[in-house]
Amino acid sequence: MNTHLLALQLMALQGCLGAFDTLYHHEFNEALPQRTGARRELGIHALRAAIYGLLFVGLACWEWHGLWAWVLAGAFTVEIGLTLWDFVVEDRSRLLPASERVTHTILAINGGAFIALLALLLPGWAAQPTAFAWNPQGWLSAFLVLCGAGVALSGLRDLLAMRRMKRVVASPVFFDETKRTVLVTGATGFVGQHLVRALLADGHAVIALSRQPRQAAWLFDGRVRCVAALDELPASTQVDVVVNLAGARILGPRWTEGRKAALRRSRVELTRALADWIGKAEHKPFLLLSASAIGYYGIQRIGDDTPLGEDSPPQPMFMSDLCREWEEAACAAARHGTRVECMRFGLVLGMGGALPMMLLPILLGLGGRLGSGRQWLSWIHVDDVVRGMAHRWQRARKGIDQELTGASNFTAPEGVTQARFSETAARVWRRPSFMPTPGWPMRAALGEQSDLLLEGQRVAPARLQGEGYVFRYPRLEDALRSLK
């Protein structure tokens, strides 16, 4: 086998390994584009992606002769330097899971192999007249061009995420003049990270319940006590407020029976365990803020514009049943004298969660309506989520509400249709919005789960508004501009 062909085959393998690392580790597990602390790492990734995109496409069908051979050598030298810098930044900014470390090791070995093979070719190429010599390798070349396009798009996503992080500055939130101890589940999630940082900024102590306590401690620079199980908190532990945000992602694989059981375990069973722990605690928390979702109301058929308030009944469907069981599990803590407030979240807008993926086609100029586009989309800015929690906290501390249990819709006053959401986002980012996406492929792929995206609900924050809560971002355009 000739050296050139073997080098390109190893490059193709590098593309496959890199795609796995990006999608599984950076996007799914670590959610790097959503982590404020990953800004420098994202910048390095964007630079490396630009170089790799050039190399994949440039080497797919051409040999680099003459002076271009030295340009190629320089590009590989820069890429090696960026890789080493990336290793250092990763070790200083986050705790890598074992699978990512193994993947990075394989990538480094494979990358070194194809660079070494190409280095063997460079003296012969450099001796030729300066030119790009056409030398395609059939389907292998086509695959390498595809890899180049993919890595370029990944780098663009990282660059856009890094730029948005620079501009987004969270405003301080006041929770309590008394410094409290707060137990937070789901602290490493999108909303959880915003909440924990706001609590720390307001001077409160935080205990994070996490399946990966070392990673959680790393994420918050050692300022948070991290435990892997409630058993690690003895009954004598003083906790004043519990915020329950844990739960596996709703959107994802089809809702098979196994998937439904996993979603229930991550929400209902954990919440029951929290209520049991509160029952055993010597010092009872005065408040449990427990996450729920507007999926509680089921779906709202196209053409039904009636706003749904907290008194609207649930529907007999899986998402509605899940939220109802979730809230019932939380309300069990009220038997021990703890006030329970369930927070029914709409789509939370911020540099994390679902928004970055929703914006990606819009940023690429491919935005447009999804399905009919007439389905309602109820949203809320992440700053209003945290400030809404502070509002519920202050009312509980003052004993304003008489009942021990309650539920609030955490949605902005302005509900919009999906088509209007796409149009507004496209206008904010100065992109066209013309590319419709049919709903049937989504229904075929996701089944019942697709109703969340293709049907929607128009949910009003009736209780919060009735109590005088003032939204910082009541309008969608203002909310999106704050994230631009």
Side-chain angles (χ1 to χ4, degrees), residues 1 4-14 110 140 144:
M1 182 180 294
H4 186 201
L5 181 60
L6 180 58
L8 294 186
Q9 289 172 341
L10 291 178
M11 280 192 71
L13 177 59
Q14 190 81 351
N110 188 73
L140 179 58
L144 288 172

Side-chain angles (χ1 to χ4, degrees), residues 22 27 33 42-51 53 148-164 356 359-366 431:
T22 298
E27 292 285 348
L42 289 170
I44 296 172
H45 290 178
L47 282 173
R48 291 184 66 200
I51 293 174
V151 75
L153 287 175
S154 174
L156 177 61
R157 168 161 167 70
D158 289 341
L159 179 63
L160 292 172
M162 182 192 72
R163 290 182 62 190
R164 289 195 297 269
L359 286 179
L360 186 56
I362 293 171
L363 295 175
L364 295 175
L366 302 174
R431 300 291 195 278

